[in-house]
Every structure is written in structure tokens, then in C-alpha cells.
Amino acid sequence: MDEYCIKTRGLKLFYGEFEALKGLDIRFLSGKTSALIGPSGCGKTTLLRCFNRINERYEGVRTEGEVVVQEHDIYSADTDLVELRKKVGMVFQRPNPLPLSVRDNILYGLRLHFSRKYRDASTLDEALETSLRAVHLWDDLKDSLSTEATTLSLEKQQKLCIARLLPLKPEVILMDEPCSALDPDATAKIEELLRDLAGDYSLVIVTHNMAQARRVSDECAFMLLGEVVEMRRTEDLFVSPRDQRTANYIEGRFG
Amino acid sequence: MNASPFATSARTATNRRVESVGKTVLAGVTALLILPLTAILGLLVIRGAPALSMEFLLEAPTAGMTAGGVFPAIVGTLWLVGVSLAVSAPVGIMAGIYLNEYAKANWLTRMVNLAIVNLAGVPSIVHALFGVGVFVLFLGLGTSILSASLTLAIMTLPVIIASTKEALAAVPMAFREACWTLGATRWQTIRHVVLPNSISGILTGVILQVSRAAGETAPIMFTGAAFYLPFLPQSVQDQCMALSMHLFTVSTQVPNVPEAIPYATALVLLSVVLLVNMFAIAFRTYLRRNRKW
Ligand SMILES: Nc1ncnc2c1ncn2[C@@H]1O[C@H](COP(=O)(O)OP(=O)(O)OP(=O)(O)O)[C@@H](O)[C@H]1O
Ligand SMILES: [Mg+2]
């Protein structure tokens, strides 16, 4: 595996005239969990959405610079968005299971990308079980695979949203404040899951919760006004920040 | 003992009186809305009753429209509604999907949207002239079911497009993002998630146009509907009678029509529209229940 799962070079993003990302050079370690922290509006979500190019859906978005995933600039002309998104999955702030059954949610990705002959019943069942086990849902849901996913608790929904990425064997999973819609108990369970997934996948997590960043991440980046102020091992960042602005933020002087 | 601290104060009493007056007025106005509908229906039934019979439904008009039934007009109306919606529903839904799901906010999209809004405001008599000019004469389709239906289709199109867009816009963005992050293409997203979750809204828009297409007289008068035809239409190239047109004819064009006939015709027209709507609603419910892909 490559040492870094994502590298950016001079990454800029404009919403119309507004420069939301101001030429970022940032790298995320493979097989590790990286956290993005920073005050509201500093561009965390924007940055995350650059990595699977989902920003482009919105009008007037313009991107400059490079984002290298698997030795390849994903903004180059020969990048197929469908292939990119198979490799770089995303989990959103609010759990967004599709209004289908648990089973169909998990298998949706496989059904999209593999023709019928590769998905006989046993392959599908195996993928279903593996994915649900990986997110600690199998025991809870194995007898209710045909329940509508939208009726599950938010915690289970969010786990399901992670699980449905797994059959596609992503390199990187991007998570935008995956716990902000959940209560502390559910948050703890998701954090436990994140620690289990680390190693098998490279995780990039945006969070407002600094304690969470400390608990789950290996590396942490502090962003401010569209720039990365500092990125280091999480412990180092929190214990001995180099930049005064980082220190102010983690001591809660603004935010 | 002191007065209760929770006793009604003068101010609260006034507020409460105003509240109850307000509620009564609003409820009253709402209840009044039932009146026109029941009045119309009641009038039609009472006045039309003498003419209503099985023969009225199943026979052609006779004696210079002063006797007989409306069967050819029922058949004609079904033709017109069917053919016009067969054109405008798919075209309108496809355009609505394109505009809401694909179109970028550029000048072309703005022009198209402007055109749709304005098309919706065009009076039906203008549609009639357009139909004569383009379908009957220019395209040489003659006065036929096809010309009349296409004219009706143009008339119903803008509303179908608008209601389709509205129904699609109501589908949460989060569903689309969920699909994209799994590598679904736009079309797969639309097909698997957006349409199943908006189909009932889309069909509601189409259903509302049934009564519009069945009820209008002007657009079909010069393009394909006839005052009187002794035979039923065999294809879209024939002319046809239509209930709306027939109603116009028997109420204003022909002398000595028994008073019951126009009322009975109107009642049949309403019933046909209601029946078609009921089928459409049943179909919609069926789709909603079988939301499996
Ligand atoms: N679609 C958009 N159009 C225009 N400006 C936008 C858009 N999305 C975000 N912005 C702006 O870009 C900046 C960065 O937004 P972003 O959502 O990335 O911040 P964030 O760090 O994720 O904030 P939060 O912690 O509140 O989620 C903000 O100033 C925001 O107003
Ligand atoms: Mg955000």
C-alpha cells in the first residue's frame, strides 16, 4: 500500500468568487485515521467533498490544484467519477440510508457495479454478512434484513451507511461529522467501530468534537479560514501545538 | 384566602374571545367551500335526471341533437384525453426530470423555464389558433383526433413539467448523495431512488390534467372535435365528438333541446373525469405499494 492515501497539491476551491480552500498541501496516511478539526465555516466539509468530487454537483464550484489518490490526480481528465467513488466512500452528517430494506441498502453498491453473473445468491449473502459484521450490526439485524432501513435507530442507520460502502472495497472512507446527529452512547459505539475499521481502511473524519478527534485519530489537522494551520500526530497536536492559533482553538478560546 | 394566581385576567379573557371568533370565521369560510361543489352536483343531478338513462349513455344523439344519448361524445372524450396525455405525460415528465436533475443554471435553462411559465399562462383559445396553424394546416394533420390531442397536449404540458419538477425537488438531496457516494450515475440515481420517491407527486400532476383536457372546448373545436358524427372514430386521423364540445352545442347552438339534456351531459362529463381520475389514483397507489426495484 502507498504510504499516503490522499495527497493534495495547491488545492484551491472557489464557490463562485469566494475562495473556500486557499491552496492546501495536505497528506493523509494510509491505513490510519485522520481527523480534521476547526471552527465552523473553515472549510472542513468542503475539503472532504473534494476527495470524492461530490462538490461538483453544486453550481459555480471551481477546483484548482491536484488531489492524488493511488498515485493518480483525481482531477485529471481520465478520472471516471463512478470508479473514483467506488474507491473513496463517504458517510454523511445525517445518516442517509436509502428508503429500501437493510439488505438492499448493503447490496446496492454491488448491484450497481457488477453484472448479474458475479452476484449469485451466495456471493450476495456473504457480502451482506461480512459487511454487517464489520459494523457490529449482524447480530442485531440478521433476523430483520428486510426491515426498511429508515426505521432503524439513528445509530444503526449510521452504521448501515458505513456498511454499505464496504462491499465495494473502498481505499478511503470519508466521514463528515458522523456522530453529530447521535447521542453520547451511540457516539461511543460509532467510535468503537471506527477504531475497529482503522487498519483495514484509511479514514478521514471531520469532527467538531475535539475529545473525539483525540480518541479516534492517529493524525489531526487544524483548519482555519480555508487553510491548514497545522497537521501532526494527534497527541502532539493536542499536547504541544506549534501554532498559537491551534493552541487557542484547542483551549477553547474561539470556535 | 387570596384570589388564585391563575384566575383568568381581563386581558386573557379578551384574547380568548378573539381566538374563538377567529377560529369560527376560518372554519366557517372553509365549510362554505363545500357549498359550490354540492350545489353544482345537486343542480346537475336534479335538472339532468329526466334525461338520464342507460340509453343516454349508450346511444348516439338523434333528432337533430334534441333526443338520444351521448355515447359518441364519451368515446371521443376518452380518445382525446388518452392521446393527449399519452403525448404530454412522457414528454412533460422527461423534461421535468432533465430540468430538475441535469440542467445547469445557465441562460438556456432560464429561457426554457421562462418559456414554460409563459406557456402555462396562454389562454386556451390561443392554443386553439396555434393548433389550427401548426397541426391542422402546417403539418397537414387535418382536423383530427391527433391534431386536437396534440393541441391539448401543448396546453397541459407546462403544468405537468412544473409539477414533475416540484415532486422531484421534494426528494431529499441526501438520498441522491447516498447513491453518488456508492458510484451510481445520475440516471441510476434517478431510476432507483428519485423516481420511486416522487412518482406519486408526479402522477398527481398528470391526474389533474385529465380534467383539464376533458373539459376544454376551445382547443378542440377547430382542430378535431365535430358537432355531430354519425359514426365512432376508428383511428387518430378521424374526427370525433367530445362531451365538452357537445355540452357547448346542446346548450347554445341547437334550438329546442330539452332542458335536461345539457345538464345530463355535464353530469356525464364530470363522471367520466372522476372515473379516469379514480383509475389513475388506483394506479398510483399500486406503484407506491410496489416500490420494488
Ligand atoms: N454551496 C456553497 N456555496 C457557497 N458557499 C459555500 C457553499 N458551501 C460552503 N460554503 C462556504 O464555504 C465555507 C466553508 O464551508 P464548509 O461547509 O466547508 O465549512 P465547515 O468547516 O464544514 O463548517 P461546519 O463546521 O459548520 O460544517 C463557508 O464559509 C461556507 O459559507
Ligand atoms: Mg461541515
Side-chain angles (χ1 to χ4, degrees):
Chain A
M1 219 188 316
D2 197 22
E3 193 186 352
Y4 296 104
C5 62
I6 301 174
K7 285 179 279 192
T8 76
R9 254 191 296 269
L11 177 64
K12 291 186 178 192
L13 185 137
F14 298 86
Y15 290 116
E17 294 298 301
F18 175 68
E19 189 176 10
L21 298 178
K22 302 175 181 167
L24 301 191
D25 297 292
I26 186 172
R27 311 199 246 199
F28 299 93
L29 288 169
S30 282
K32 302 280 185 200
T33 303
S34 311
L36 288 173
I37 60 169
S40 216
C42 68
K44 305 179 296 291
T45 298
T46 304
L47 177 60
L48 205 66
R49 286 171 160 260
C50 284
F51 300 152
N52 65 354
R53 293 182 58 180
I54 212 167
N55 272 328
E56 286 163 43
R57 164 70 212 191
Y58 303 101
E59 299 292 338
V61 172
R62 192 158 50 84
T63 316
E64 287 174 15
E66 284 183 9
V67 175
V68 178
V69 177
Q70 291 190 320
E71 301 295 308
H72 197 87
D73 177 17
I74 60 168
Y75 282 88
S76 63
D78 61 349
T79 300
D80 189 311
L81 283 188
V82 167
E83 298 302 325
L84 171 65
R85 289 178 186 156
K86 279 159 69 178
K87 288 288 160 227
V88 183
M90 183 169 234
V91 177
F92 298 84
Q93 209 162 339
R94 270 207 78 75
N96 59 350
L98 294 170
L100 305 169
S101 69
V102 169
R103 187 187 157 85
D104 289 339
N105 262 281
I106 301 284
L107 298 180
Y108 187 68
L110 285 182
R111 292 201 168 122
L112 284 177
H113 300 297
F114 296 93
S115 60
R116 264 172 215 288
K117 68 177 173 187
Y118 291 108
R119 42 186 173 91
D120 54 283
S122 65
T123 325
L124 292 186
D125 287 339
E126 199 185 308
L128 185 65
E129 180 169 346
T130 320
S131 309
L132 284 176
R133 274 195 196 285
V135 299
H136 313 158
L137 275 182
W138 177 251
D139 292 329
D140 283 340
L141 294 185
K142 64 170 182 253
D143 298 319
S144 43
L145 293 171
S146 46
T147 1
E148 239 346 69
T150 44
T151 61
L152 300 174
S153 73
L154 284 179
E155 176 199 332
K156 287 187 182 146
Q157 288 188 20
Q158 194 61 302
K159 285 179 173 172
L160 188 74
C161 290
I162 298 172
R164 72 176 169 202
L165 301 173
L166 304 184
L168 296 177
K169 308 205 176 353
E171 294 284 318
V172 187
I173 300 180
L174 310 169
M175 303 194 183
D176 191 358
E177 303 187 37
C179 301
S180 64
L182 306 179
D183 63 42
D185 220 33
T187 302
K189 299 242 177 63
I190 298 277
E191 286 180 11
E192 194 186 316
L193 169 61
L194 296 184
R195 280 191 292 270
D196 279 3
L197 291 174
D200 294 337
Y201 304 94
S202 313
L203 307 180
V204 180
I205 299 183
V206 169
T207 176
H208 260 136
N209 179 336
M210 281 183 273
Q212 178 172 70
R214 281 184 92 154
R215 285 192 297 264
V216 301
S217 70
D218 302 298
E219 280 207 311
C220 185
F222 171 62
M223 287 183 68
L224 193 61
L225 299 173
E227 287 176 288
V228 175
V229 173
E230 158 162 27
M231 176 169 197
R232 296 164 58 202
R233 282 188 42 214
T234 304
E235 266 167 66
D236 299 344
L237 187 100
F238 281 99
V239 175
S240 52
R242 286 209 186 102
D243 196 291
Q244 189 54 40
R245 292 168 294 176
T246 317
N248 289 347
Y249 181 73
I250 60 184
E251 282 163 26
R253 277 187 225 145
F254 68 95
Chain B
M1 205 170 79
N2 289 335
S4 159
F6 306 118
T8 311
S9 71
R11 184 69 234 177
T12 313
T14 318
N15 287 349
R16 191 161 304 145
R17 257 193 314 278
V18 173
E19 162 74 19
S20 75
V21 170
K23 187 177 155 197
T24 315
V25 170
L26 295 179
V29 169
T30 312
L32 280 181
L33 290 177
I34 304 173
L35 269 184
L37 185 65
T38 39
I40 290 173
L41 274 179
L43 187 72
L44 292 185
V45 172
I46 294 167
R47 294 278 178 86
L52 277 178
S53 63
M54 224 43 205
E55 292 77 53
F56 188 73
L57 294 178
L58 296 178
E59 281 175 11
T62 50
M65 318 279 244
T66 57
V70 292
F71 184 65
I74 296 178
V75 173
T77 290
L78 291 177
W79 269 95
L80 292 172
V81 170
V83 177
S84 68
L85 287 185
V87 175
S88 64
V91 173
I93 291 172
M94 287 192 277
I97 292 176
Y98 181 80
L99 287 172
N100 196 67
E101 301 293 319
Y102 288 93
K104 293 230 154 45
N106 54 23
W107 66 269
L108 185 63
T109 311
R110 275 192 290 276
M111 289 286 289
V112 172
N113 280 322
L114 199 67
I116 294 167
V117 170
N118 283 302
L119 200 57
V122 171
S124 57
I125 186 70
V126 179
H127 281 296
L129 291 177
F130 173 81
V132 172
V134 173
F135 300 127
V136 178
L137 301 175
F138 183 71
L139 293 179
L141 301 175
T143 47
S144 60
I145 292 180
L146 194 56
S147 294
S149 298
L150 289 173
T151 310
L152 287 173
I154 299 271
M155 187 185 76
T156 51
L157 204 50
V159 186
I160 293 180
I161 295 176
S163 57
T164 301
K165 277 171 60 184
E166 208 170 297
L168 293 173
V171 176
M173 205 58 186
F175 287 174
R176 297 186 180 85
E177 290 180 333
C179 289
W180 297 337
T181 192
L182 291 167
T185 59
R186 283 285 168 83
W187 174 244
Q188 285 171 321
T189 306
I190 293 168
R191 170 83 178 68
H192 299 150
V193 173
V194 179
L195 277 184
N197 286 286
S198 55
I199 192 72
S200 49
I202 293 175
L203 287 183
T204 305
V206 175
I207 291 169
L208 286 175
Q209 292 313 298
V210 169
S211 38
R212 190 102 195 282
E216 287 284 352
T217 315
I220 58 173
M221 190 184 283
F222 311 115
T223 52
F227 283 93
Y228 175 73
L229 284 176
F231 51 84
L232 292 179
Q234 301 301 311
S235 78
V236 291
Q237 284 160 333
D238 292 340
Q239 291 192 350
C240 65
M241 293 182 71
L243 284 167
S244 55
M245 177 83 172
H246 188 66
L247 181 55
F248 169 74
T249 312
V250 291
S251 27
T252 62
Q253 305 295 301
V254 185
N256 305 323
V257 178
E259 193 206 41
I261 286 189
Y263 286 102
T265 307
L267 193 61
V268 173
L269 174 57
L270 265 184
S271 314
V272 167
V273 168
L274 284 181
L275 267 176
V276 174
N277 278 357
M278 262 159 55
F279 273 114
I281 290 170
F283 179 60
R284 185 177 74 180
T285 317
Y286 165 82
L287 279 185
R288 226 185 273 174
R289 210 167 286 142
N290 291 270
R291 226 181 35 175
K292 254 203 271 147
W293 305 80

